[in-house]
Amino acid sequence: MARSLNVQISARAAILARHLIQLILGALSESSERSFMLNINMEKVADIITDVADSQIIPRFGKLCAQDIHFKSKDNPVTIADKEAEKELSTRLLDLLVGSKVVGEEAFDKDQSISDRFSGDSPVWIIDPVDGTKPFIAGEPFYGVIVSLAEQNQVIASWLYDPTSKEFITAQKCAGAYYKGRKLSVLPADSVENMSGILGWRIHNSFEKKGVFLSSQSTPSIDRMYSSCHDYARLVVDGPHFSGQTTQVHFHSLLQTCTPWDCSAGVLIHSEAGGYTSHWNGKAFSPSHYGRGLLSAPSEESWHEIKNWLSSCCVFPE
């Protein structure tokens, strides 16, 4: 009897030991997966972004000469501010997180193979040094700086910065989205005709050509995109009034063609504020998915409702 009892106790001890080992291994794995996120000082990154904006961007606002502006392609300008800001941001962020890599908009324009960095093990900084280059050139304050950090092709931290008002929106994965210490949230979903949205300028133009913006009770309120930095800010309730606006219209949804530097930071902020984002084909967002249609909505259910309405108007990239 005693021997049988000892065998039972030993068997239970072995089972408990196995469970304990699994828990320890799981905790170590989770700790390893989160290591970069836990080691990132959000304020230090914000300080770097502010410093670079003060030295490379703001002094050039409204003061660009013709030789300071070039075109990567038709209707796609780049300025000396874009180039110099990305260069300095890249250097300082790489120094901040040893072993990390960078995918910047201007660097990608010269070498598209750098997008392969998303599939590697190193964390990747994603940089849009001057988001809204056209307004920046025109001397209009609807531009910003966008930085995010990805690990294993998933965005884990984000910064949207408006140099004019010197305001940030930030987010960390599983930790919420914040503005001046206040937690942000998206507008609640409503029926499609009562919701409002923002369209990327290429998609907006295709809508106009098809005459979609006819006044109708069944047509949602739709605005044209200014810059990703400002427009993702407009998707969150109680978000900042960037550029000193006294009033700000908040929107329910945003549809655009995905580029990692335009979308990565905003998608995380929108998600951490309670929203739902997916590629047009229903697949989850990843920063490596360049050129795919991307739709953000207050919820998964409203995402499908908005997509169905949009699909009746135009065809979008998968």
Side-chain angles (χ1 to χ4, degrees), residues 148-219:
S148 57
L149 180 64
E151 188 176 19
Q152 297 179 349
N153 209 19
Q154 297 297 315
V155 185
I156 60 174
S158 297
W159 297 259
L160 298 180
Y161 180 59
D162 174 42
T164 305
S165 63
K166 298 189 180 298
E167 294 176 333
F168 275 96
I169 298 178
T170 61
Q172 281 186 281
K173 190 173 182 179
C174 302
Y178 290 88
Y179 165 65
K180 290 185 176 180
R182 291 190 287 116
K183 193 169 186 178
L184 302 175
S185 61
V186 297
L187 287 169
D190 203 334
S191 57
V192 171
E193 63 269 19
N194 290 328
M195 288 194 282
S196 55
I198 307 167
L199 295 178
W201 65 272
R202 290 185 181 89
I203 299 172
H204 191 282
N205 288 345
S206 68
F207 266 58
E208 286 186 326
K209 289 178 181 178
K210 291 179 177 289
V212 173
F213 299 131
L214 299 175
S215 177
S216 169
Q217 290 184 348
S218 61
T219 302

Side-chain angles (χ1 to χ4, degrees), residues 256-314:
Q256 65 174 321
T257 302
C258 173
T259 60
W261 41 87
D262 282 329
C263 302
S264 295
V267 167
L268 179 64
I269 286 168
H270 184 255
S271 174
E272 289 298 316
Y276 178 82
T277 295
S278 178
H279 287 294
W280 194 247
N281 60 7
K283 292 185 178 180
F285 167 78
S286 291
S288 63
H289 292 168
Y290 182 89
R292 299 185 184 181
L294 190 68
L295 175 63
S296 297
S299 64
E300 184 173 0
E301 181 180 0
S302 63
W303 186 95
H304 287 285
E305 292 174 356
I306 294 169
K307 180 187 175 181
N308 289 338
W309 181 83
L310 290 167
S311 296
S312 68
C313 304
C314 283

